[in-house]
Amino acid sequence: MLFRSKFFQLAEIIREKLFGDNDQVLGLFFGDSGSGKSNLVIKLCYLVSGDKFFLDNIAFNKDQYIMAILGNKKNCVVGDEGISLFHTKEAMRTEGVIMQQLIDQSRQQNLFLPICMVRPLDTNQIILERLDFAVWVWESKELIKDKEGKPVLNEWGKFKYKTIKGNYAIYPDFSKTGGKNYLMPLLAYMEKKKMQRKNPFITLPQPPESWGHSGGQIYEDWEGGYKGFFPPNFTEAQYNEKKYSILAKYKNALQRKKRNNNIDFNTMDKLIRTKVKQSEIAKYLNCSIAEVQIRTRLMKKPYKKHIKKKGLRGKKHSK
């Protein structure tokens, strides 16, 4: 069975909010990297939107997210793990405030906005207060057995395990409709879990979820590989290409050239006299702009050596 009944029930609730109540739904999917959050979100969005869910509905940075929200109505827009605008520190900046205002205005668009994060409390507090539900996603190990039910051994004679991704527990907030709020106890549990790092002897019972299920069979094959679900509108290769293109931009920004320790000051002086921009000079000579600025000031006012004698510093600098 491709989709579990409880997961399908969640999709029906979201569809009713979007198409029936003309409202907006904000969800948070959190868990360790590689636990299956993105694939679970794609499955849910396909159940909600069907053939209207395209690769452009998945955003990995600010520009993609804004364009997806403005270009969709009664649809799903995913803020995948690459997006950091809802992070606590990032949201304090001007861009973060703009994103929060955009979410407020996008309520007229009747969108389902799932956000993928590693840790739920890293999300801005304003976003946490507006959540309709949260999904805890994790991976687990399972013993591989043959057709007769006997454990399979590897080449070293040890038991062979496979990793199942996409185990999930759903914590919705039904308090608006007079039901139980499963979301607040989860966030309180995550807050108390910070204290457990300082005192590991504290025992914290995990709050009960509304729905939960182990990862489906679409996640693993007999050899232990993973087969994620992707809708017919785009393939896994297209999704990975878009995701890694964003990461490549961050990588290129971090890879800076090593500063030049042997600066050609004669060439720098000639470029300064010809009034070339300081940024262009620094780029040409592979040095910092500060070096060019210091050199420019020295050329305007010749450098004089300080003579250390009593009384030269004056009363103002005598202390």
Side-chain angles (χ1 to χ4, degrees):
M1 185 177 179
L2 185 61
F3 300 112
R4 305 292 178 178
S5 58
K6 293 295 185 182
F7 204 65
F8 187 81
Q9 187 177 350
L10 176 62
E12 286 296 318
I13 294 174
I14 296 173
R15 283 181 59 84
E16 180 64 26
K17 293 275 287 184
L18 300 186
F19 297 95
D21 301 338
N22 293 325
D23 203 351
Q24 175 181 281
V25 180
L26 185 61
L28 176 66
F29 289 72
F30 67 94
D32 294 334
S33 299
S35 58
K37 299 186 298 295
S38 300
N39 200 264
L40 202 63
V41 170
I42 291 173
K43 283 171 52 180
L44 182 59
C45 291
Y46 179 68
L47 283 174
V48 173
S49 299
D51 295 335
K52 290 174 60 180
F53 184 67
F54 294 91
L55 184 60
D56 292 337
N57 294 62
I58 303 176
F60 293 96
N61 61 10
K62 179 196 67 174
D63 297 332
Q64 293 178 0
Y65 199 74
I66 293 175
M67 292 300 295
I69 287 181
L70 297 178
N72 286 279
K73 187 175 179 65
K74 295 184 183 296
N75 205 342
C76 306
V77 176
V78 181
D80 211 332
E81 200 165 323
I83 192 168
S84 60
L85 292 169
F86 300 104
H87 194 277
T88 306
K89 296 180 180 178
E90 297 291 336
M92 297 301 292
R93 301 178 182 177
T94 305
E95 291 182 346
V97 175
I98 293 173
M99 295 304 298
Q100 294 172 20
Q101 294 175 353
L102 182 65
I103 287 182
D104 291 337
Q105 297 176 1
S106 66
R107 192 170 291 275
Q108 300 176 356
Q109 303 290 100
N110 309 134
L111 296 173
F112 169 43
L113 303 174
I115 302 170
C116 294
M117 297 286 288
V118 176
R119 292 177 293 271
L121 295 183
D122 285 347
T123 315
N124 182 259
Q125 185 64 31
I126 299 176
I127 302 298
L128 291 176
E129 292 173 356
R130 300 175 186 176
L131 286 178
D132 294 295
F133 70 92
V135 181
W136 192 347
V137 187
W138 70 93
E139 64 177 35
S140 60
K141 298 286 185 179
E142 183 177 322
L143 187 65
I144 298 178
K145 297 181 180 179
D146 56 15
K147 296 180 180 179
E148 298 179 356
K150 296 180 180 179
V152 178
L153 302 179
N154 57 20
E155 53 185 352
W156 297 285
K158 296 183 179 180
F159 292 121
K160 195 173 182 180
Y161 292 88
K162 58 183 176 182
T163 302
I164 300 178
K165 297 188 178 183
N167 306 295
Y168 65 88
I170 304 174
Y171 297 85
D173 182 8
F174 293 133
S175 60
K176 298 177 183 178
T177 57
K180 185 177 180 180
N181 189 346
Y182 294 89
L183 180 61
M184 290 303 295
L186 173 68
L187 298 178
Y189 168 76
M190 289 296 173
E191 190 69 37
K192 292 179 181 178
K193 213 171 181 186
K194 289 184 177 180
M195 300 171 58
Q196 197 177 30
R197 298 175 185 174
K198 299 180 180 179
N199 188 358
F201 297 101
I202 298 177
T203 57
L204 297 173
Q206 183 175 330
E209 71 275 7
S210 177
W211 307 316
H213 209 284
S214 59
Q217 294 182 354
I218 60 169
Y219 286 96
E220 73 272 357
D221 57 19
W222 186 253
E223 297 297 328
Y226 305 112
K227 294 181 179 179
F229 170 81
F230 287 89
N233 291 331
F234 59 91
T235 62
E236 184 178 3
Q238 293 173 330
Y239 169 82
N240 291 331
E241 182 181 359
K242 182 177 182 179
K243 181 176 182 178
Y244 294 131
S245 64
I246 299 297
L247 296 177
K249 292 181 181 179
Y250 292 134
K251 182 179 179 181
N252 294 334
L254 292 174
Q255 288 179 343
R256 299 177 180 176
K257 291 183 179 180
K258 191 176 180 179
R259 292 299 181 190
N260 185 13
N261 295 325
N262 299 318
I263 302 173
D264 188 358
F265 289 104
N266 293 327
T267 304
M268 183 184 291
D269 294 343
K270 293 178 182 178
L271 294 173
I272 293 173
R273 291 191 188 97
T274 54
K275 297 182 179 181
V276 180
K277 291 183 178 180
Q278 294 180 350
S279 58
E280 295 294 332
I281 297 174
K283 186 176 180 181
Y284 178 74
L285 297 176
N286 191 22
C287 64
S288 64
I289 298 179
E291 291 281 353
V292 183
Q293 292 173 346
I294 293 172
R295 192 71 179 178
T296 304
R297 289 196 297 267
L298 292 176
M299 289 180 66
K300 290 180 179 179
K301 187 176 181 180
Y303 177 73
K304 295 182 179 180
K305 291 184 178 180
H306 295 285
I307 302 173
K308 294 183 179 180
K309 289 185 178 180
K310 292 183 178 180
L312 285 179
R313 298 185 67 187
K315 295 182 180 179
K316 187 177 180 181
H317 304 286
S318 60
K319 294 182 179 180

